[in-house]
Amino acid sequence: MAERHDLVVCAERVLAEGVSRESDGFVPLEIGIRDGVITTLAPLGAGLAGAQVRTLAADEVLLPGLVDSHVHINEPGRTDWEGFDSATRAAAAGGVTTVIDMPLNSIPPTVTTAALATKIAASDGIRHVDVGFWGGAVPGNTADLAPLHEAGVFGFKSFLLPSGVDEFPALDADELEVDLHELAGLDALMVVHAEDAEVIEHAPPAHGPDYADFLASRPRAAENRAIAVVIEAARRTGARVHILHLSSSDALGLIADARRDGVHLSVETCPHYLTLTAEDVPAGATTYKCCPPIRERANQDLLWAALAEGTIDAVVSDHSPSTADLKQLDTGDFGQAWGGVASLQLGLPVMWTAARERGIGLDQVVRWLSAGPAHVAGLARKGRIAVGADADLVVFAPEQTFVVDPATLEHKNHLTAYAGRTLAGVVRTTVLRGTEVDFRTPRGALLRRGHA
């Protein structure tokens, strides 16, 4: 008698691992799922038996669930900015089945095990996708790092300049090195917002609606210098480090050299750095403000090249939303507006629209958004369609287009720099561990390092 699955998904084009693929990276397959896990990959037409069988339409492809390892959910404390219910709905609507929450801008920040317990409790019963947590490394909490590691955080976030919220202060270079020594002993990952405070202090301050003034206030030199500090500290301590939201292409040589030298270094960038340019930011359009900033078109081209070469490992959202008043929409003042681009729901179509204009295949885009972040975070069962992986799947129509209407987004605050843009690619269904996300019944699991 044929082995029976809970669910079988059949598709002409599947982005899967462990099978011989076509030139575009896809293959016709049947995927058998049992107890939320992929148990069988068979050629299309094999006739796998299942309690449910779904066959994709001709214009649909099957992708692994995306992993977004850089999301500011902000609950508790600033839940009017975003929250677990709204953020995980937005994730699911965008094909993201796993998010890892940053330790700020919630109150309390996740810098102690007690604060982590508060975060977990706030998310219980309202997670529509799977959720894990980063811990925070701030002055004075070195003794808290090991307990947080044991409690299951995926690593530790630090800033090398003021974070924007008083309750999450920055580390100086000496404090960073002390913490890296501690984390090296735990084999734990430090993820770093790498901009240098001194460089920015000596840059002209941002004010008013002119984006060029804001760009000058956050020069590439601030990123380059901070990344050099992180690399040298990692070299001395042997710790694993990860550079968050790289925007300066000038730092790519430093990164490549460090890797050749054996420094344990990974790097991410974000869709807004790859698809938006400084030249095109309208005056006063503070929805584009983020730190580090969106830079020039020539800089963007070099980031794309670094992705293709493997110097950059992953693409994640850095979804950092706020309420409308904090964006200073009435004045358009880049100096006063909160910095953060809201895009958790839009990453896949944003990236696919830009990539295909550059002749880059959907298979590569999806790996940057799924397997790449999963590898950085150590999520062995996420971000891939393979036997033994969680059955996190996305039914995607790559040729269907839509216009971004902020009012239709699941984000709590309907603000985005992508408003009005025509994008290619529509997520039609998101499957979390073998069950379709219905946006009514939260089924997201709590993920802990070592158990995900």
Side-chain angles (χ1 to χ4, degrees):
M1 182 178 177
E3 189 175 26
R4 191 168 177 82
H5 301 86
D6 301 327
L7 172 66
V8 174
V9 182
C10 306
E12 290 284 352
R13 298 182 66 205
V14 180
L15 185 59
E17 291 185 6
V19 293
S20 178
R21 296 190 291 265
E22 306 293 336
S23 60
D24 64 357
F26 289 83
V27 64
L29 281 180
E30 297 182 5
I31 297 94
I33 298 162
R34 187 180 300 106
D35 297 327
V37 176
I38 297 170
T39 57
T40 310
L41 297 179
L44 189 63
L48 294 182
Q52 298 181 59
V53 178
R54 173 166 181 176
T55 301
L56 269 59
D59 67 335
E60 296 175 338
V61 300
L62 191 67
L63 309 176
L66 307 184
V67 176
D68 197 333
S69 56
H70 194 150
V71 180
H72 294 268
I73 294 179
N74 304 326
E75 186 175 6
R78 292 189 175 96
T79 312
D80 54 337
W81 295 17
E82 191 67 279
F84 285 101
D85 181 64
S86 54
T88 57
R89 286 174 185 269
V96 177
T97 51
T98 301
V99 301
I100 306 184
D101 175 57
M102 282 292 167
L104 72 165
N105 300 300
S106 60
I107 302 173
T110 316
V111 296
T112 65
T113 54
L116 174 63
T118 299
K119 272 276 189 89
I120 292 170
S123 74
D124 282 346
I126 55 173
R127 298 183 295 257
H128 293 270
V129 301
D130 290 352
V131 176
F133 295 93
W134 296 107
V138 297
N141 87 321
T142 303
D144 293 295
L145 303 182
L148 279 164
H149 179 74
E150 290 304 312
V153 300
F154 285 85
F156 296 89
K157 167 82 174 278
S158 62
F159 277 77
L160 299 184
L161 81 173
S163 69
V165 293
D166 292 341
E167 66 274 4
F168 201 96
L171 300 177
D172 64 26
D174 291 339
E175 291 166 333
L176 173 69
E177 191 146 344
V178 167
D179 283 355
L180 287 180
H181 274 293
E182 178 75 5
L183 297 186
L186 300 171
D187 191 29
L189 181 66
M190 178 73 89
V191 305
V192 186
H193 182 126
E195 288 184 283
D196 185 83
E198 184 178 7
V199 171
I200 289 176
E201 285 171 6
H202 288 88
H207 59 86
D210 188 344
Y211 186 76
D213 287 346
F214 171 65
L215 188 60
S217 76
R218 313 287 294 213
R220 296 190 206 189
E223 274 192 272
N224 305 337
R225 183 170 171 181
I227 289 170
V229 167
V230 173
I231 287 171
E232 291 311 306
R235 193 190 305 274
R236 288 189 293 269
T237 61
R240 296 191 295 123
V241 296
H242 177 73
I243 302 299
L244 298 168
H245 45 50
L246 178 71
S247 82
S248 172
S249 62
D250 294 349
L252 293 168
L254 288 172
I255 292 163
D257 289 346
R259 285 177 156 173
R260 280 193 292 269
D261 291 345
V263 176
H264 302 297
L265 174 67
S266 55
V267 182
E268 69 184 42
T269 192
C270 305
H272 41 276
Y273 301 129
L274 297 165
T275 65
L276 306 175
T277 62
E279 294 91 336
D280 296 331
V281 177
T286 54
T287 53
Y288 290 75
K289 180 181 175 179
C290 56
C291 299
I294 294 161
R295 301 193 188 278
E296 303 86 351
R297 187 172 292 109
N299 179 84
Q300 182 182 96
D301 290 340
L302 293 172
L303 295 180
W304 278 101
L307 268 171
E309 294 162 0
T311 306
I312 299 174
D313 302 271
V315 179
V316 294
S317 70
D318 188 12
H319 178 67
S320 185
S322 71
T323 53
D325 60 309
L326 293 176
K327 273 296 188 182
Q328 302 289 322
L329 300 177
D330 54 342
T331 66
D333 188 333
F334 280 101
Q336 297 298 315
W338 177 259
V341 173
S343 62
L344 178 56
Q345 187 171 331
L346 298 172
L348 177 56
V350 163
M351 283 293 295
W352 170 228
T353 301
R356 69 179 191 169
E357 292 175 356
R358 293 174 178 265
I360 298 170
L362 180 59
D363 59 328
Q364 183 60 76
V365 171
V366 173
R367 290 189 183 97
W368 290 330
L369 294 164
S370 57
H375 180 73
V376 167
L379 288 159
R381 296 176 58 170
K382 299 294 187 180
R384 59 199 184 99
I385 296 176
V387 172
D390 286 351
D392 298 343
L393 307 170
V394 179
V395 178
F396 186 63
E399 301 305 317
Q400 184 178 350
T401 62
F402 69 102
V403 177
V404 177
D405 176 0
T408 67
L409 299 177
E410 297 286 347
H411 306 161
K412 180 165 287 188
N413 291 283
H414 297 156
L415 302 171
T416 177
Y418 299 103
R421 289 178 178 256
T422 299
L423 300 179
V426 172
V427 172
R428 292 186 175 166
T429 304
T430 298
V431 175
L432 179 67
R433 286 176 284 104
T435 300
E436 182 176 336
V437 177
D438 63 8
F439 300 92
R440 298 185 303 275
T441 309
R443 296 186 175 91
L446 170 65
L447 301 179
R448 297 182 191 269
R449 177 196 51 79
H451 302 280

